[in-house]
Amino acid sequence: MTLSAISQWTVRHRCLAVWSLRVVIGALFVVSGVVKAIDLWGFVYKIEEYLTVWDFMQPRSLVEMTAIGVSGAEFVLGAMLMVGAYRRSAVWGLLAMMCVMLPLTAYVYLYDPVSDCGCFGDFITLSNGATFIKNIIITAALIYLAADNRKVQGLYHPYMQWVVAALCCGYLLFVGLYGLMVQPMIDFRSFPSGSSLWGDTGGRDMEDVVFEFIYEKDGERRTFTAENLPDSTWTFIDRTQSGGAPVTEWSTEFYLTDGGEDVTGELADETGDRLIIVLPQYSRADVSYTFVINELQQYVESLGGDLIEVAAIDSSDIDAWRDLSMAAYPIYQGESTMLKELARGVMAAVYLKDGRIEWKRSLGSIDADLLEKYLAGGDINALDLYRTLDAHSFAVASGLLVAMLAALFLIGRTPSMLKWVRKNKNYENNE
């Protein structure tokens, strides 16, 4: 084999290795970033879980900004790596992130302060050991790319790279801010829209069922009952059931108590319209939503339905909260983690029709004027107008991004293709 042949073989295999790592490592960061952005609330809760373990509390607004920044950096830098744009900056930016992520996952693996690191949100749950190994492999791949990535051309010309980055940023902000202010477009959790909140056996007798809740704090795990749940400094781990019938999907996931008494079976009504106001953290309750809740109650009752509130609140605080919020509707108790699973946001509304979840959205995104407009009656159910964007909308937005990136690629390659066509045409004419 000649020196020239060896050189060509080396170049080809370097290109293959670089592109393979670009696609695989870039795709991992793209998936990690986008699933965090879809459910930014879940990422916010995970960050707060870490901060609670370390006794290092920060304002939620700062946590939200951190969640948007981290998910955005993962997605945009991962996308740039995949297409070979910003060949130096993308790799070094991701390496800088791994300088934080690798020691963090090593700490999580060794000391197990949280149940999972939250790398892929609720989309994929990896063990702490698998996460640490994954990050070692990613870091090693990025170190290799730091040396060779800039030597292999990307899909886009340098003057078009900023457009690609801007499109990816716009897409990520749209998906992330919608999930933060309204609800996630894709629901990876236990109560997706369209499912039955109560299950096929709603209304069954739960009198003999006893639920126990496992919480952890400072490495110590304790079991609590619904009547003596711990404060927010404890981290929820799991829930178990004893007595009564075997655990079913609905009884395992959703339950309500009233003064410590389980009333899930009594409220499992399979017919009619019902709105559930969800308050997952009483300490963050917002009284300014009282007007919206009262409007919702008035409207759903005009349909023959009802409105209830489920809050993660101590029995001693219910009367004070009822007076403060001027609630004319029943208030029940629920476990905080379960309510965060049901709906995202400081306070949210969940609309049930015949026991099935029609939609969920944060109270801040509900326009009360729309209810007043249709309160007088008519053929339109105003509650149906509050449906949120779903997985189909996410697929459309993602498809639009891919189409625009493909169009940019073709535009950038048009001069080269025209030059190739002219060259071949001149060659044919000379013959």
Side-chain angles (χ1 to χ4, degrees):
M1 183 179 290
T2 65
L3 186 61
S4 176
I6 293 175
S7 177
Q8 291 178 2
W9 182 88
T10 302
V11 170
R12 284 198 299 269
H13 281 75
R14 176 195 290 165
C15 288
L16 179 61
V18 167
W19 271 111
S20 298
L21 290 177
R22 279 177 178 175
V23 172
V24 174
I25 303 302
L28 284 174
F29 278 102
V30 165
V31 173
S32 177
V34 80
V35 296
K36 287 187 180 79
I38 289 172
D39 186 13
L40 269 179
W41 274 108
F43 192 26
V44 167
Y45 294 145
K46 178 57 67 176
I47 294 174
E48 290 181 337
E49 186 178 348
Y50 278 108
L51 295 176
T52 300
V53 169
W54 297 328
D55 293 325
F56 185 68
M57 305 308 295
Q58 290 293 323
R60 173 160 281 179
S61 57
L62 183 59
V63 177
E64 291 173 358
M65 291 174 60
T66 301
I68 294 173
V70 172
S71 60
E74 286 187 341
F75 178 78
V76 175
L77 291 175
M80 296 303 99
L81 182 64
M82 281 188 71
V83 301
Y86 294 108
R87 287 171 288 168
R88 190 190 301 270
S89 301
V91 173
W92 284 104
L94 292 174
L95 266 176
M97 294 186 67
M98 295 311 299
C99 287
V100 177
M101 297 301 179
L102 186 59
L104 177 62
T105 51
Y107 165 77
V108 172
Y109 172 58
L110 292 173
Y111 298 100
D112 196 28
V114 296
S115 55
D116 70 275
C117 73
C119 296
F120 296 101
D122 291 327
F123 177 59
I124 300 174
T125 301
L126 299 177
S127 68
N128 292 338
T131 300
F132 180 49
I133 294 172
K134 169 184 69 71
N135 285 349
I136 291 176
I137 295 172
I138 290 174
T139 303
L142 288 172
I143 291 173
Y144 173 83
L145 287 172
D148 282 353
N149 191 51
R150 67 183 184 278
K151 299 176 183 177
V152 179
Q153 293 295 320
L155 298 181
Y156 298 92
H157 292 294
Y159 63 85
M160 300 187 73
Q161 291 178 152
W162 72 271
V163 182
V164 178
L167 288 174
C168 291
C169 286
Y171 165 84
L172 197 284
L173 285 174
F174 168 68
V175 171
L177 292 179
Y178 187 88
L180 187 67
M181 295 187 294
V182 184
Q183 284 295 298
M185 294 185 191
I186 302 179
D187 198 338
F188 303 119
R189 294 159 288 139
S190 304
F191 311 102
S193 296
S195 65
S196 174
L197 182 62
W198 311 110
D200 296 332
T201 56
R204 67 188 297 176
D205 186 10
M206 297 291 289
E207 183 177 353
D208 298 328
V209 176
V210 177
F211 292 110
E212 295 180 333
F213 308 89
I214 302 172
Y215 281 79
E216 184 177 54
K217 179 180 180 180
D218 299 332
E220 177 188 1
R221 292 195 177 189
R222 287 190 190 177
T223 300
F224 300 85
T225 63
E227 293 81 6
N228 67 336
L229 293 177
D231 57 39
S232 60
T233 61
W234 289 77
T235 302
F236 176 76
I237 301 298
D238 197 6
R239 192 184 108 180
T240 60
Q241 173 194 9
S242 61
V247 174
T248 63
E249 179 181 352
W250 75 273
S251 63
T252 300
E253 299 297 344
F254 192 74
Y255 67 97
L256 303 172
T257 60
D258 185 8
E261 179 181 353
D262 195 315
V263 293
T264 308
E266 299 173 19
L267 293 171
D269 186 1
E270 288 289 342
T271 60
D273 298 276
R274 168 169 287 164
L275 279 168
I276 300 178
I277 303 301
V278 180
L279 175 55
Q281 292 176 287
Y282 174 59
S283 60
R284 298 185 181 276
D286 193 339
V287 184
S288 65
Y289 291 133
T290 299
F291 173 74
V292 175
I293 296 174
N294 291 337
E295 292 294 312
L296 288 170
Q297 180 187 17
Q298 184 180 5
Y299 187 83
V300 73
E301 288 179 351
S302 73
L303 300 177
D306 66 340
L307 180 145
I308 64 173
E309 181 174 316
V310 185
I313 185 173
D314 294 333
S315 300
S316 58
D317 293 326
I318 287 184
D319 289 337
W321 171 241
R322 182 178 284 111
D323 292 339
L324 190 63
S325 61
M326 299 179 290
Y329 41 82
I331 299 177
Y332 300 100
Q333 295 165 278
E335 200 276 324
S336 178
T337 301
M338 178 196 71
L339 297 182
K340 291 175 182 177
E341 285 277 301
L342 177 59
R344 298 307 202 194
V346 175
M347 296 182 71
V350 179
Y351 176 40
L352 304 181
K353 184 177 290 187
D354 297 331
R356 211 160 276 280
I357 299 174
E358 293 293 309
W359 53 255
K360 337 169 183 179
R361 63 188 306 149
S362 65
L363 289 181
S365 69
I366 293 179
D367 180 11
D369 294 337
L370 192 63
L371 297 172
E372 294 180 355
K373 179 179 178 181
Y374 292 99
L375 187 59
D379 297 330
I380 297 178
N381 181 351
L383 296 178
D384 290 333
L385 303 178
Y386 289 114
R387 294 182 184 277
T388 57
L389 299 181
D390 55 12
H392 174 73
S393 304
F394 173 76
V396 170
S398 301
L400 185 60
L401 174 65
V402 172
M404 289 188 291
L405 293 179
L408 279 176
F409 172 76
L410 293 175
I411 292 171
R413 297 297 170 179
T414 298
S416 299
M417 289 187 292
L418 291 176
K419 183 178 180 180
W420 179 82
V421 169
R422 284 197 301 266
K423 181 179 179 180
N424 281 282
K425 186 176 180 180
N426 292 334
Y427 177 78
E428 291 174 359
N429 292 334
N430 291 333
E431 286 188 342

